[in-house]
Amino acid sequence: MSEPQVGVPVVVVNPIKVEDLEEVRSCLAAVAAELGVPEPRLVETTEDDPGFGQTRDAVDSGASVVCALGGDGTVRAVAQELAGSGVPLGLLPGGTGNLLARNLDLPVTSLEDAARVALGSSTRTIDLGWLVADPAPGQTPDLADPQPPAPADNVHAFAVMAGLGFDAHVMDDAPEDVKAKAGWAAYVASGAQHLTDDPFDLEVWLDGGEPSHVEARTVVVGSCGELTGGVVLLPDAEVDDGCLDVAVLTPKGLFDWVGTAARVLVGHTKDGPSLERSRAKVVHLRTPSPQPCEVDGDVLGEATETVFVVQPGALVVRA
């Protein structure tokens, strides 16, 4: 670890997502000088570590803020390590989605504008979601007082949304080079390949209540409501309400998919055929066959049992 640099902003950057790293460095230095704060220190992610270790080092070094620059996966890694630390998260535009920044109405097209916010002093506190894949004994939250799970290989944070089934397939099959060229449209092309996939049996428990049984195509659990492309799937979701919002989609064929997509795209907030939305602090899902799952676009592999829990007020964000 480098020598402590207390009070210095740190930018965790994925170099693959940045065309000109020196130009980024120059822009951030100029904004820092304008605001009268120390010049940010840039640390790069690697193939082996997408931002977790870099963020831990930044916190240990006394960073005043840790900014993520490199897409939703980088944001997720930084957010997971900052949870509960009180060190602010700064959001700089990079990659395809910038979903957390969009949901917080932060700049997503101008690095300079985003840097003024990230290196400024205004903050807000938001919730963080956690997914436990195939929980071991003792990893299921206490429903009377749900707490974030202890760190483990099967525990993953999400700042925006997590998904199971179709949602994870779409994320997994959208090639990086296509996303770089076509943006969110890459997910549309990927999704078209899975519209006729078979449904899966699903049991759903919300806050420990009675289970519901459905044949589902996908489940999305989120702290935010807006998807890639500006589509609002969870209209009641708020980033600081201490709850997770859940959408269970059950279309039986292409016709149902079209109808469900049309209702979501035009902003209908009422549930209808093939779409049921709900809210909970703890969401417990079980399937008889393993299903792919993802957190903020990072596909984790398959699981038959997943538990989602909210950590209220876990993140301080420059906003």
Side-chain angles (χ1 to χ4, degrees), residues 118-175:
L119 300 178
S121 59
S122 179
T123 63
R124 67 178 297 185
T125 303
I126 67 171
D127 305 333
L128 192 67
W130 294 88
L131 179 149
V132 185
D134 288 329
Q139 279 193 302
T140 301
D142 178 2
L143 295 174
D145 183 26
Q147 297 293 322
D153 289 343
N154 65 334
V155 174
H156 311 274
F158 58 96
V160 182
M161 294 181 189
L164 185 77
F166 173 83
D167 178 63
H169 279 302
V170 171
M171 298 297 178
D172 199 27
D173 290 343

Side-chain angles (χ1 to χ4, degrees), residues 259-275:
T260 302
R263 291 202 313 278
V264 172
L265 287 171
V266 299
H268 282 185
T269 58
K270 292 184 178 180
D271 294 350
S274 306
L275 173 61

Side-chain angles (χ1 to χ4, degrees), residues 143-210:
L143 295 174
D145 183 26
Q147 297 293 322
D153 289 343
N154 65 334
V155 174
H156 311 274
F158 58 96
V160 182
M161 294 181 189
L164 185 77
F166 173 83
D167 178 63
H169 279 302
V170 171
M171 298 297 178
D172 199 27
D173 290 343
E176 286 295 327
D177 57 340
V178 177
K179 287 194 293 183
K181 295 177 181 177
W184 65 267
Y187 296 113
V188 177
S190 173
Q193 303 175 40
H194 294 283
L195 290 177
T196 57
D197 288 356
D198 292 333
F200 54 89
D201 293 331
L202 176 70
E203 288 183 285
V204 182
W205 291 264
L206 301 176
D207 289 337
E210 291 297 315

Side-chain angles (χ1 to χ4, degrees), residues 38 41 59 117 123 132 134 155 172 184 214-215 247 261 267 273 278 299 311:
R41 178 167 61 92
V59 172
V117 177
T123 63
V132 185
D134 288 329
V155 174
D172 199 27
W184 65 267
V214 296
E215 279 200 339
S278 51
V299 181
Q311 182 181 2

